RNA sequence: GCCUACGUAGCUCAGCAGGUAGAGCACUUCCUUGGUAAGGAAGAGGUCACCGGUUCAAAUCCGGUCGUAGGCUCCA
């Protein structure tokens, strides 16, 4: 007999060969019906998989939302794969996991058919519903590797076969069968397709995806879906997507006249006056922050000789992303531009670090000079893959809030800790919470393993000392994701609707000082290599502004809003008063505009509200006579009547940047 | 760069069994001086992304280029 302990502490005895399903059935038909899977000794398993011995069991139902969603999404992926193979014989299956909001499956379409398109989706959805309605049991079977290979070869599944061949030989592998159809899969799965809600999923889009995520491999046809436990959850999800679309910085950027992009400067931003006011607000803020934290601001050349980039290693590791320029004078003839074969090459800087090392190398540095913190609003150019460009978030010209801290080995941990504190204060000023991750050594890298061991350990240590290496701060290590010269600590912001954005970073680098031969004179009178900490907090001004726009849905806090207030008149008799108080606001440093147009107040309120102006000061005859204003704050229905001086004080207080309050 | 879709007035979109373009908003002018999310009228505005092909005729069909969107790869 088996002893099965339940979450309430009770125990049940069942014959050998029993499964969690038997326990559920024994407890009651309601639970049996609701049961989706089981946690056996903590491990998520199929409901019908027999116990291997005594165990602790908890049955998983739709109340265990995280587990239930994961199972349902994985099942939706299988159902999708079966549907596609039913409708399009000759399609090969590859992989299909659950995602954050649903699932996808990658297919190799039949010879000559081409990729699946969105036009195929309704038909596939209908077939999926048929499979769900058929309530096909999902049966787990253990096969040997050779059985699997033989099966896949016999069915023309070359991708699956290739994968199976790389699996270890002895191991028992599992397949899941839904009637005739089967896929190799670790599981677990729901007991049958009928446990899925046919109204709780939707196929959303198609895309290409490389086999095994490598762009040298074949392009597969991926079908994405969103999947949930019930219709209501799906509707909520679709609503969230609509809300996110409303916040899109590209849409708001156009509506608020902040910036534009056009193909003549592909991937570079045209900042309009309003947008550039946000930029200038951030720039001033950041200057105060770095001045206060012991940094010194510099400005370095936009174009440097290729030999410099060879020395730094960028020419070898980063050339494909760099804009190169022939250094040739004269570079024109009557027929137009010429480039002779033996021109020297220069390149627009993709990063600021080499130039900062060159500043460090001027003169002789003593250990007393360290740490030396060099900051630049560094404008970089990177020739990004065209398909990667995206609004302000991914551009080809961007300005980093970039600094390099040159320090001694024994100063690293302290400097990283200080940076953690600075970043924390700054993100709080903008109302963000964040997660910190450590990106570890990548495959393509400079430096010895010993150096990487040390660099990774230092960053880990500093974060731990700053008290940030906690689950609350989303602490996590990401293997293989570091830069080619250094491991990275990354700050991932969480925005108002729960999305995350990587912005801040600090990286401890011993490679570049070595390659560019930077040194300082130590206490012992000998030359030593400084360590270089690369760090940024906004990441780039472009991306950070994009994130702010989406985070605030365009309703920027007063200190950042391009137009902070509008004085709108009700009747033209109040024009002079409106001009008078606008002048006072301007004198007090408020960015204010007047709206004296011959329009009704309704119209003006609507227009300035849509333009996301934070404060609307409405004045008519009454206000002009009494020296008051009717203040309407963005997002607040009621207006407040108050003396102008009171409104002025309020505006001034709110327009003060958070670091100056 | 790769996959799929898309590209018509400043914006949002209609027109597409091929017969040289249309709406709403915005803009300009006029009327209206009206108390908190669109007052009324008139006018102006487009070589239908670009290049080429098929055709008597192309915004509409075909091919290419560029761009955009969503993915993949990459990334601040």
């Amino acid at each position: 007999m088996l002893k099965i302990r339940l979450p309430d502490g009770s125990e049940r005895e069942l014959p050998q060969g029993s499964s969690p399903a038997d326990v559920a059935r024994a407890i009651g038909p309601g639970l049996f019906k609701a049961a989706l899977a089981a946690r056996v000794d903590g491990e998520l398993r199929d409901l019908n998989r027999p116990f291997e011995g005594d165990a602790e069991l908890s049955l998983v139902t739709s109340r265990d939302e995280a587990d239930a969603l994961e199972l349902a999404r994985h099942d939706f992926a299988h159902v999708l794969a079966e549907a596609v193979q039913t409708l399009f014989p000759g399609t090969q299956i590859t992989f299909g996991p659950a995602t954050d909001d649903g699932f996808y499956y990658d297919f190799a379409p039949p010879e000559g058919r081409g990729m699946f398109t969105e036009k195929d989706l309704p038909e596939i959805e209908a077939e999926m519903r048929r499979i769900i309605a058929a309530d096909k049991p999902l049966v787990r079977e253990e096969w040997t590797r050779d059985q699997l290979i033989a099966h896949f070869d016999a069915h023309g599944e070359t991708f699956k076969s290739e994968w199976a061949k790389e699996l270890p030989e002895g191991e028992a592998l599992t397949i899941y069968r839904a009637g005739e159809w089967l896929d190799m899969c670790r599981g677990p799965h729901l007991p049958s397709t009928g446990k899925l809600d046919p109204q709780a999923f939707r196929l959303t889009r198609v895309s290409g995806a490389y086999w095994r995520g490598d762009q040298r491999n074949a392009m597969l046809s991926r079908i994405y879906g969103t999947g949930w436990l019930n219709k209501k959850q799906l509707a909520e999800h679709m609503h969230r997507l609509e809300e996110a679309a409303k916040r899109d910085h590209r849409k708001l950027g156009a509506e608020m006249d902040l910036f534009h992009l056009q193909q003549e400067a592909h991937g570079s931003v045209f900042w309009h006056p309003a947008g550039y006011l946000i930029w200038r607000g951030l720039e001033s803020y950041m200057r105060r922050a770095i001045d206060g934290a012991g940094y010194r601001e510099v400005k370095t050349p936009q174009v440097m000789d290729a030999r410099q980039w060879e020395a730094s290693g960028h020419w070898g590791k980063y050339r494909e992303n760099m804009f190169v320029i022939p250094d040739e004078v004269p570079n024109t003839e009557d027929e137009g531009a010429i480039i002779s074969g033996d021109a020297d090459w220069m390149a627009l800087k993709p990063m600021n670090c080499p130039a900062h090392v060159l500043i460090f190398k001027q003169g002789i540095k003593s250990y007393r000079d360290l740490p030396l913190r060099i900051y630049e609003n560094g404008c970089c150019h990177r020739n990004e893959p065209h398909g990667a460009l995206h609004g302000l978030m991914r551009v080809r010209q961007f300005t980093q809030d970039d600094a390099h801290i040159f320090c001694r080995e024994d100063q690293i941990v302290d400097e990283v800790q200080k940076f953690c504190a600075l970043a924390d204060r700054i993100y709080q000023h903008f109302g963000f919470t964040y997660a910190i991750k450590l990106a570890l050594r990548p495959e393509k890298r400079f430096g010895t393993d010993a150096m990487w061991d040390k660099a990774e350990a230092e960053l880990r240590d500093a974060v731990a000392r700053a008290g940030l290496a906690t689950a609350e701060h989303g602490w996590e290590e990401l293997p293989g994701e570091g830069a080619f010269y250094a491991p990275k600590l990354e700050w991932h912001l969480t925005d108002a609707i729960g999305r995350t954005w990587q912005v801040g970073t600090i990286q401890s680098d011993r490679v570049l000082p070595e390659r560019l031969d930077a040194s300082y004179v130590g206490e012992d009178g000998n030359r030593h290599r400084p360590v270089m900490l690369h760090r940024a907090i906004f990441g780039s001004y472009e991306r950070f502004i994009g994130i702010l726009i989406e985070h605030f849905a365009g309703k920027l806090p007063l200190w950042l809003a391009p137009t902070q207030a509008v004085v709108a008149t009700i009747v033209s008799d109040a024009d002079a008063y409106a001009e008078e108080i606008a002048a006072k606001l301007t004198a007090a440093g408020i960015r204010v505009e007047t709206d004296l147009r011959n329009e009704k107040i309704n119209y003006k309120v609507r227009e300035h509200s849509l333009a996301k102006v934070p404060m609307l000061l409405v004045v008519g005859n009454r206000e002009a006579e009494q020296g008051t204003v009717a203040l309407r704050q963005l997002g607040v229905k009621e207006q407040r009547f108050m003396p102008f001086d009171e409104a002025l004080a309020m505006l001034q207080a709110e327009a003060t940047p958070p670091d100056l309050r």
Side-chain angles (χ1 to χ4, degrees):
Chain A
M1 291 299 271
L2 293 166
K3 277 189 188 156
I4 304 301
R5 182 189 291 272
L6 296 170
D8 64 2
S10 66
E11 265 187 22
R12 292 202 174 231
E13 296 215 337
L14 290 104
Q16 292 288 341
S18 301
S19 71
D22 298 320
V23 178
R25 197 179 284 113
I27 294 172
L31 182 59
F32 177 64
K33 201 176 163 206
L36 301 173
R39 277 205 176 271
V40 178
D41 295 329
E43 185 194 350
L44 193 62
R45 287 199 178 193
D46 297 313
L47 196 63
N48 292 311
R49 182 167 166 191
F51 295 108
E52 279 141 19
D54 295 350
E56 297 215 358
L57 169 71
S58 80
L59 291 160
V60 173
T61 69
S62 61
R63 286 190 192 173
D64 306 294
E65 196 163 283
D67 282 342
L69 277 171
E70 175 80 20
L71 286 159
R73 287 167 180 164
H74 196 173
D75 277 21
F76 277 127
H78 271 233
V79 172
L80 166 61
E82 184 181 347
V84 168
Q85 286 201 312
T86 305
L87 293 170
F88 308 97
T91 302
Q92 290 193 53
I93 51 173
T94 66
F95 284 96
T99 63
D100 288 346
D101 65 5
F103 56 94
Y104 66 79
Y105 207 105
D106 287 347
F107 302 97
E111 285 285 324
R113 195 209 174 266
M115 297 291 181
F116 296 113
T117 73
E118 271 162 41
K119 289 195 182 75
D120 297 319
L121 299 185
E123 192 187 355
I124 298 170
E125 277 189 6
E127 181 61 26
M128 286 174 71
R129 295 205 169 89
R130 272 194 288 278
I131 293 168
I132 292 169
D135 196 15
K136 300 167 90 168
L138 293 163
V139 182
R140 180 178 186 274
E141 293 175 14
E142 291 193 2
W143 286 23
T144 65
R145 198 188 67 152
D146 290 343
Q147 266 180 299
L148 274 169
I149 295 169
H151 172 85
F152 289 133
D153 283 345
H155 289 78
E157 298 279 6
T158 59
F159 290 93
K160 279 285 186 186
S161 174
E162 178 190 324
W163 183 254
K165 281 172 189 157
E166 290 180 23
L167 294 172
E169 197 142 2
E171 209 171 299
L173 301 165
T174 56
I175 62 115
Y176 278 79
R177 177 190 285 287
E180 287 298 296
W181 190 85
L182 64 85
D183 191 2
M184 169 168 67
C185 179
R186 274 207 192 92
H189 276 280
L190 299 176
S192 70
T193 59
K195 295 282 181 186
L196 294 170
D197 180 343
Q199 301 304 320
F201 80 97
R202 190 171 296 172
L203 298 182
T204 50
R205 51 188 182 262
V206 295
S207 92
Y210 299 107
W211 167 235
R212 303 172 84 166
D214 189 327
Q215 59 178 327
R216 289 167 301 194
N217 290 340
M219 177 66 73
L220 302 171
S221 188
R222 175 173 296 180
I223 298 177
Y224 279 95
T226 183
W228 302 85
L229 296 180
N230 53 55
K231 197 173 163 180
K232 183 164 167 258
Q233 283 184 346
L234 175 65
E236 284 166 359
H237 173 69
M238 299 316 282
H239 180 68
R240 280 194 296 274
L241 291 184
E242 282 169 31
E243 289 304 305
K246 282 185 201 160
R247 294 171 173 261
D248 192 308
H249 73 281
R250 294 163 301 184
K251 178 174 133 73
L252 290 172
E255 283 174 11
M256 296 168 70
D257 194 19
L258 302 177
F259 63 89
H260 85 272
L261 296 151
Q262 66 180 62
Q263 66 184 77
E264 285 73 11
H266 188 201
S268 300
V269 183
F270 291 79
W271 286 101
H272 296 193
Y276 204 57
L277 278 167
I278 302 173
W279 183 299
R280 297 203 320 174
L282 292 179
E283 219 172 42
S284 306
Y285 171 90
M286 188 52 84
R287 285 209 165 97
R288 291 190 299 272
I290 58 127
D291 286 350
Y295 290 76
R296 331 238 346 236
E297 184 172 355
V298 299
K299 199 73 182 171
T300 62
Q302 212 56 44
V303 179
M304 287 202 295
D305 197 287
R307 281 183 283 270
Q308 184 59 49
W309 299 112
E310 279 166 22
S312 68
H314 287 82
W315 206 251
K317 298 269 184 200
Y318 208 73
R319 172 106 153 77
E320 63 182 21
N321 287 309
M322 290 167 71
F323 288 102
V324 294
I325 307 166
D327 181 14
E328 180 139 66
V329 179
N331 63 3
T332 55
E333 283 180 343
D334 293 344
E335 296 82 43
I338 54 160
I339 301 173
S340 66
D342 54 359
D344 284 336
W345 293 97
M346 307 192 81
L348 278 162
K349 65 173 170 184
M351 298 182 194
N352 308 298
C353 24
H356 291 185
V357 177
L358 298 183
I359 288 179
F360 179 86
K361 284 177 67 180
Q362 290 295 305
I364 296 172
K365 295 294 180 292
S366 151
Y367 72 96
R368 296 173 202 276
D369 296 324
L370 305 183
L372 183 61
R373 308 183 189 90
I374 295 182
Y375 175 88
E376 178 171 4
N377 284 318
C379 178
C380 297
H381 288 80
R382 296 183 189 172
N383 198 355
E384 300 287 355
H386 287 196
L389 299 176
H390 178 93
L392 295 178
M393 303 303 190
R394 192 76 182 273
V395 289
R396 300 209 294 181
Q397 175 190 312
F398 57 96
T399 301
Q400 297 177 312
D401 63 311
D402 198 10
H404 297 92
I405 302 170
F406 296 87
C407 64
R408 304 190 307 258
E409 295 275 342
D410 62 295
Q411 294 172 321
I412 296 172
V413 173
D414 187 42
E415 283 300 313
V416 174
Q417 257 194 90
K418 278 185 184 154
F419 177 75
C420 289
L422 180 65
D424 181 69
R425 193 165 77 241
I426 289 177
Y427 294 141
Q428 279 190 32
H429 279 157
F430 290 90
F432 287 115
T433 56
Y434 58 83
I436 303 188
K437 322 250 179 220
L438 176 59
L440 305 170
R441 69 195 79 185
E443 275 179 41
K444 258 171 95 177
R445 62 176 182 261
F446 285 136
T448 62
D449 284 352
M451 185 213 87
W452 281 88
D453 288 342
K454 201 170 171 201
E456 290 170 359
E458 284 157 358
L459 295 183
R460 214 176 264 130
D461 185 25
V463 175
R465 288 198 201 186
L468 296 169
T470 62
E472 181 199 348
H473 276 101
W475 174 250
E476 193 183 358
E477 303 199 358
L478 309 169
E481 304 213 354
F484 65 80
Y485 48 83
K488 298 197 279 190
L489 278 178
E490 301 175 345
W491 274 253
H492 295 251
L493 301 187
T494 303
D495 75 9
I497 55 172
R499 297 170 302 179
T500 60
W501 308 91
Q502 199 238 295
V503 289
T505 183
I506 187 164
Q507 309 158 9
S508 79
D509 178 10
R510 289 170 173 83
V511 173
L512 205 57
E514 177 77 33
R515 289 187 72 96
L516 297 181
D517 192 27
S519 64
Y520 66 91
V521 179
E523 237 172 325
D524 55 6
N526 295 323
R527 296 248 166 199
H528 297 274
R529 287 268 175 251
V531 175
M532 196 177 173
L533 305 176
H534 305 242
R535 43 109 295 165
I537 292 176
F538 291 159
S540 82
Y541 281 81
E542 284 82 355
R543 183 178 285 181
F544 197 71
I545 292 172
I547 294 167
L548 286 176
I549 292 168
E550 303 207 352
H551 177 59
F552 291 113
K555 296 172 188 169
L556 293 164
L558 195 70
W559 71 279
L560 282 172
T563 299
Q564 296 173 316
V566 166
V567 180
T569 51
I570 294 168
V571 291
S572 54
D573 288 343
D575 285 1
Y577 178 65
E579 300 271 26
E580 182 194 328
I581 64 174
K584 284 183 185 164
L585 288 164
T586 303
I590 302 296
R591 294 186 289 269
V592 62
E593 285 167 20
T594 53
D595 184 353
L596 311 181
R597 291 176 304 170
N598 178 12
E599 296 289 351
K600 291 195 170 182
I601 194 60
N602 289 337
Y603 183 89
K604 294 183 182 181
V605 166
R606 177 181 157 81
E607 197 170 89
H608 299 300
S609 299
L610 290 175
K612 313 274 194 290
V613 174
M615 294 284 187
L616 192 57
L617 281 62
V618 177
V619 295
N621 285 325
R622 208 188 308 154
E623 287 75 15
E625 281 159 23
Q626 300 173 351
T628 58
V629 296
L631 185 75
R632 190 186 169 112
Q633 204 170 340
L634 186 61
V636 179
K637 272 253 164 66
E638 311 77 42
Q639 47 203 300
R640 293 157 65 190
F641 298 91
M642 61 178 76
F644 168 70
D645 290 342
E646 199 177 306
L648 174 66
M650 201 179 129
L651 274 159
Q652 269 188 304
E654 267 199 60
T656 305
D659 58 317
L660 298 178
R661 281 175 198 168

